[in-house]
Amino acid sequence: MRKDQIEGRNAVMEAILAGRPIYKIYLKKGERHGVIFRIMELAREKGIPLQEVDADAFYAMVRTSGHQGICAAVSPREYVEVDDILNHADSLKEDPFIMVLNELTDPQNFGSIIRTADCFGVHGIIISKNRACGITPSVVKVSAGAAEYMKIARVTNIASTLEDLKNKGLWVMGADAEGRDCFDVDLTGPIALVIGGEDKGLGRLIREKCDMLIRIPMKGHIGSLNAAVAASILGYDIIRQRLSKNAGKS
């Protein structure tokens, strides 16, 4: 039976609360304080085995530096289909808001984007199967447990997926320094926001597939933002515009 591993207090706590199958939780000896007590209580309530191990054994077990003295063996994280994301939005009677990550490889960026996307009510994230970061222990840790709730689809071809989304009524907006000022664009409809990879951005083909390119206005000396920060700012403006539009209807 294949198992994955998650590390960090928030990641383990949210996995328990989300009902993800957990085979065993491991605690470094001496880590009995704060939220650890709550995790231990929940583990006992749900019948999840919990084992304390000495420091040397624990450090040999963990894969990240942000473990906070706790890790858990869990069932592999299941990816969804793109249609599952669209159906989720439909079930909420909301216009779809999807983030598409094109060849994003940094676990720190991916985890941060998942956390941001959950806060903004994004219905799902689409990533590539190739040349992209998947859901690793580092990603789950950085997401502060948000990875347990976010619907994430992996696709073979981002370009063809964008075409499919357009055919289903979504506007594909690409984050690019040469785009229109995001604050001057109506972002209230069904949207797929495309964020490029750390090194080359969107790439020529993906740029061509976008209905529009949008940018974040900047005044400083550095001409670009890191992928997670860009996703946060653009995602915030999308949700801000949606909330403002809904408020105007009431």
Side-chain angles (χ1 to χ4, degrees), residues 33-205:
H33 49 78
V35 73
I36 296 291
F37 287 114
R38 178 58 178 154
I39 291 173
M40 294 172 69
E41 179 184 355
L42 286 172
R44 293 190 188 99
E45 289 176 3
K46 297 181 178 295
I48 301 170
L50 194 149
Q51 179 181 343
E52 284 192 288
V53 296
D54 63 38
D56 289 342
F58 183 83
Y59 291 137
M61 180 186 305
V62 294
R63 304 171 190 170
T64 72
S65 59
H67 51 75
Q68 298 175 309
I70 186 169
C71 67
V74 299
S75 65
R77 176 68 161 77
E78 297 294 332
Y79 293 95
V80 304
E81 301 296 327
V82 174
D83 280 345
D84 294 325
I85 297 174
L86 295 172
N87 291 337
H88 175 51
D90 186 62
S91 71
L92 297 173
K93 295 181 171 51
E94 296 175 352
D95 283 333
F97 178 12
I98 298 173
M99 286 190 176
V100 183
L101 311 182
N102 183 50
E103 298 186 6
L104 194 81
T105 58
D106 186 338
Q108 188 82 23
N109 276 333
F110 188 22
S112 295
I113 288 172
I114 294 173
R115 184 173 183 175
T116 294
D118 180 69
C119 291
F120 292 159
V122 171
H123 299 108
I125 295 173
I126 298 173
I127 63 175
S128 173
K129 289 181 179 178
N130 304 308
R131 299 185 299 278
C133 181
I135 305 173
T136 66
S138 293
V139 169
V140 175
K141 171 67 175 64
V142 173
S143 80
E148 298 299 328
Y149 305 100
M150 182 56 55
K151 295 183 183 301
I152 300 174
R154 288 180 98 183
V155 298
T156 303
N157 190 306
I158 291 289
S160 64
T161 298
L162 294 180
E163 282 291 343
D164 289 341
L165 291 174
K166 289 197 287 187
N167 290 335
K168 291 176 179 177
L170 279 76
W171 286 97
V172 175
M173 302 288 186
D176 189 270
E178 296 181 6
R180 291 181 57 187
D181 188 328
C182 64
F183 302 130
D184 294 333
V185 177
D186 183 353
L187 300 172
T188 59
I191 283 180
L193 174 63
V194 190
I195 304 295
E198 293 86 0
D199 295 329
K200 64 178 183 179
L202 294 179
R204 180 190 58 80
L205 179 59

Side-chain angles (χ1 to χ4, degrees), residues 19 175 195 197 207 216 228:
I195 304 295
R207 283 166 54 98
I216 301 162

